[in-house]
């Protein structure tokens, strides 16, 4: 994946050395930055010349949709006008192209917030199908077998307490990594079926910890008045990103940054376990609480030394951030993603500065002008506009 490394290196070079203003950062995002786009990754994981033809034929066969509709969608994907929003469609693309599990993770991670969800039974079965070379149809049939045996009303297993401890996503993923045969897969669900589900327990626990730190800032005894979720969003999370949802009002870059931005409703749903904790919410909470300077790993603990330059500080914080995200089964920061790149810019602070302030300043500049000038990526047919 040489070209993808070039993208990261190119963007990271901009952050190094002389301090950049928020205006310079946004100008670079608009004019000089290189992005890791869906169509680019698509062409990297499948390098044959028949990409477009194979997708058109394969997706027509799998979905039963009209060929005319599929041809239009595929054309938009390979030209970078939009990307599939539905994860089922993304998996179908992976099966049509004959990708393995690793390359499928790249496709899913580029088009959505995360790669394969290893706590989601259906995605685990799809990962097994990709790993073992099953067709999409064979994999769907296998999932029906798993669903009937372990997740139907008659097949559902009693929840195991695991000695009262939490089951980490990484534990489930590591156990699944050993599976090569269908019967092994069945044994896996027999053992871990009760641990399946969208809600990542460890991510939820950390989400609540960080959220609590913002709702009761500086309160050690629990006596301080608690901020409402609306106040938390406006003071810490909004960061000058407009609330309006009409995508046609934004430039492509603005769409890419605003995508999945958590508002009050989303955070309340995450708090009440009606939605999975999102990667973007975790990153914003991590940033707002300056958690990257409070790592418990002694080897990575940030030692406050006035001699440390901003580049060294950023390297340390980036490593901590990636360890943080990996702990909850989430993708690390990608300099080829506009939002992630803004986070990197924000974390390059010196003593006395706040990362959330730098992020807010850059976002204020980004959303202050240039709205409504993008013609492509209107998001038809249930697809997301832009490049993730």
């Amino acid at each position: 994946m040489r070209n993808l490394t070039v993208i990261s290196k190119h963007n990271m070079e901009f952050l190094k050395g002389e301090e950049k203003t928020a205006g310079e950062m946004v100008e670079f995002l608009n004019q000089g930055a290189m992005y890791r786009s869906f169509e680019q990754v698509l062409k990297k994981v499948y390098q044959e010349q028949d990409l477009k033809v194979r997708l058109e034929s394969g997706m027509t066969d799998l979905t039963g949709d009209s060929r005319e509709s599929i041809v239009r969608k595929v054309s938009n994907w390979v030209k970078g006008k939009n990307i599939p929003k539905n994860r089922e469609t993304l998996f179908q693309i992976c099966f049509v192209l004959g990708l393995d599990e690793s390359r499928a993770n790249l496709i899913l991670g580029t088009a959505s917030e995360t790669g394969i969800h290893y706590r989601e039974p259906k995605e685990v079965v799809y990962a097994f199908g990709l790993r073992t070379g099953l067709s999409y149809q064979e994999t769907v049939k296998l999932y029906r077998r798993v669903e009937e045996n372990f997740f139907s009303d008659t097949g559902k297993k009693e929840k195991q307490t695991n000695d009262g401890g939490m089951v980490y996503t990484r534990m489930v993923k590591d156990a699944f990594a050993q599976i090569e045969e269908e019967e092994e897969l069945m044994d896996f669900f027999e053992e871990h079926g009760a641990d399946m589900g969208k809600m990542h327990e460890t991510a939820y626990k950390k989400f609540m910890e960080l959220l609590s730190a913002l709702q009761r800032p500086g309160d050690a005894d629990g006596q301080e008045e608690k901020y409402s979720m609306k106040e938390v969003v406006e003071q810490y999370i909004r960061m000058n990103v407009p609330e309006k949802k009409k995508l046609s009002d934004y430039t492509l870059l603005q769409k890419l940054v605003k995508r999945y931005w958590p508002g009050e409703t989303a955070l309340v749903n995450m708090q009440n376990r009606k939605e999975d904790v999102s990667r973007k919410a975790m990153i914003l909470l991590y940033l707002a609480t300056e958690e990257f300077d409070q790592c418990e790993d002694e080897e990575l603990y940030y030692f406050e030394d006035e001699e440390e330059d901003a580049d060294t500080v950023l390297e340390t914080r980036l490593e901590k951030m990636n360890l943080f995200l990996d702990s909850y089964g989430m993708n690390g920061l990608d300099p080829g993603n506009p939002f992630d790149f803004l986070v990197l810019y924000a974390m390059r602070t010196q003593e006395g500065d706040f990362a959330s302030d730098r992020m807010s300043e850059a976002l204020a500049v980004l959303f202050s002008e240039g709205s409504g000038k993008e013609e492509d990526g209107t998001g038809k047919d249930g697809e997301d506009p832009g490049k993730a």
Side-chain angles (χ1 to χ4, degrees):
M1 306 292 284
R2 179 180 176 277
N3 197 36
L4 300 189
T5 303
V6 169
I7 290 175
S8 297
K9 182 177 180 181
H10 171 81
N11 291 352
M12 289 299 290
E13 284 297 320
F14 172 79
L15 292 182
K16 296 180 179 178
E18 185 178 344
E19 179 70 10
K20 306 301 190 298
T21 66
E24 289 171 333
M25 175 64 181
V26 173
E27 182 179 0
F28 178 73
L29 283 170
N30 277 307
Q31 304 295 333
M34 297 170 65
Y35 300 136
R36 200 178 319 291
S37 60
F38 177 71
E39 77 275 12
Q40 181 189 47
V41 173
L42 195 61
K43 293 170 183 176
K44 280 292 178 180
V45 298
Y46 186 84
Q47 299 186 12
E48 303 299 324
Q49 297 299 313
D50 66 339
L51 172 64
K52 189 171 182 292
V53 173
R54 182 161 178 169
L55 281 173
E56 289 171 349
S57 298
M59 293 299 291
T60 300
D61 291 341
L62 286 190
T63 64
D65 294 343
S66 70
R67 185 170 181 84
E68 180 182 0
S69 172
I70 293 296
V71 167
R72 184 180 69 252
K73 290 180 181 180
V74 170
S75 178
N76 286 338
W77 298 341
V78 299
K79 290 179 180 179
K81 291 186 175 181
N82 54 35
I83 61 178
K85 184 177 180 181
N86 188 292
R87 290 179 70 84
E88 187 74 19
T89 300
L90 291 169
F91 274 108
Q92 289 172 340
I93 289 171
C94 294
F95 278 102
V96 165
L97 297 181
L99 304 184
D100 58 18
E101 184 182 355
S102 176
R103 289 184 293 170
N105 251 318
L106 285 175
I107 288 290
L108 279 124
T110 302
S112 61
E113 277 210 313
T114 61
I116 297 169
H117 289 307
Y118 288 96
R119 296 290 284 271
E120 181 64 31
K122 191 173 190 179
E123 297 203 5
V124 168
V125 176
Y126 281 176
F128 174 82
L130 293 166
R131 179 187 297 176
T132 57
L134 296 178
S135 69
Y136 174 74
Q137 293 88 342
E138 290 170 331
T139 306
V140 169
K141 184 177 180 180
L142 177 60
Y143 173 65
R144 293 196 186 112
R145 179 185 167 195
V146 168
E147 187 177 36
E148 180 180 347
N149 287 339
F150 300 101
F151 301 104
S152 66
D153 290 337
T154 57
K156 193 173 295 183
K157 307 298 181 184
E158 288 295 322
K159 176 79 176 165
Q160 301 298 315
T161 62
N162 193 38
D163 296 327
M166 285 189 175
V167 177
Y168 288 75
T169 299
R170 186 182 294 175
M171 292 168 55
V172 176
K173 184 177 178 181
D174 288 347
F176 174 69
Q178 312 303 315
I179 307 303
E180 296 292 343
E181 303 291 338
E182 287 191 17
E183 290 312 309
E184 292 177 339
L185 182 67
M186 294 301 166
D187 290 341
F188 168 83
F189 279 110
E190 180 73 38
E191 181 178 355
H192 296 284
D195 303 322
M196 294 286 105
K198 287 188 175 181
M199 298 302 170
H200 296 189
E201 293 292 335
T202 51
Y204 178 75
K205 181 180 179 182
K206 189 63 178 182
F207 167 81
M208 292 299 293
E209 176 189 324
L210 297 176
L211 180 62
S212 178
L214 296 181
Q215 289 184 313
R216 298 185 185 276
D219 176 29
D221 301 319
Q223 300 300 314
E224 184 178 319
E225 182 179 355
K226 182 179 178 180
Y227 286 170
S228 68
M229 188 67 81
K230 181 177 182 179
E231 290 171 323
V232 168
V233 168
E234 293 306 316
Q235 186 163 343
Y236 300 108
I237 304 300
R238 178 68 58 199
M239 294 186 182
N240 292 311
V241 174
E243 293 186 66
K244 60 182 180 181
K245 298 180 180 180
K246 191 176 180 182
L247 289 175
S248 61
D249 290 339
Y250 297 106
T251 65
L252 177 58
L253 178 61
Q254 290 168 339
K255 292 174 187 177
L256 297 180
V257 172
K258 181 176 169 60
R259 192 172 176 228
Y260 301 123
W261 201 279
E264 180 184 357
T265 300
L267 289 175
V268 168
N269 285 341
M270 292 175 203
Q271 183 181 43
N272 294 333
R273 315 203 69 167
K274 294 180 179 179
E275 290 183 26
D276 199 3
V277 174
S278 74
R279 176 180 181 271
K280 184 162 280 188
M282 288 288 275
I283 290 175
L284 291 173
L285 288 172
Y286 189 87
L287 205 64
T289 56
E290 304 277 327
E291 185 78 4
F292 44 72
D293 283 345
Q294 302 172 34
C295 183
E296 295 179 359
D297 188 331
E298 292 184 0
E299 292 184 1
L300 292 176
Y301 197 87
Y302 172 52
F303 45 94
E304 295 189 6
D305 186 343
E306 293 183 0
E307 298 298 322
E308 287 295 296
D309 60 64
D311 291 339
T312 303
V313 170
L314 177 58
E315 288 178 9
T316 303
R317 290 173 171 175
L318 172 57
E319 190 169 356
K320 291 180 189 176
M321 173 69 91
N322 285 340
L323 285 172
F324 168 81
L325 291 170
D326 182 66
S327 297
Y328 307 111
M330 299 174 179
N331 300 341
L333 289 186
D334 176 9
N337 175 292
F339 168 75
D340 287 9
F341 191 55
L342 279 167
V343 172
L344 287 164
Y345 168 76
M347 290 199 301
R348 192 181 181 274
T349 59
Q350 293 284 40
E351 187 176 358
D353 295 328
F354 294 100
S356 56
D357 289 344
R358 280 171 62 89
M359 187 79 166
S360 296
E361 290 168 5
L363 289 167
V365 176
L366 176 62
F367 286 96
S368 66
E369 56 185 50
S371 298
K373 295 181 181 179
E374 293 289 341
E375 298 298 328
D376 289 334
T378 55
K380 295 180 180 180
D381 300 310
E383 298 180 349
D384 249 354
K387 313 170 188 177

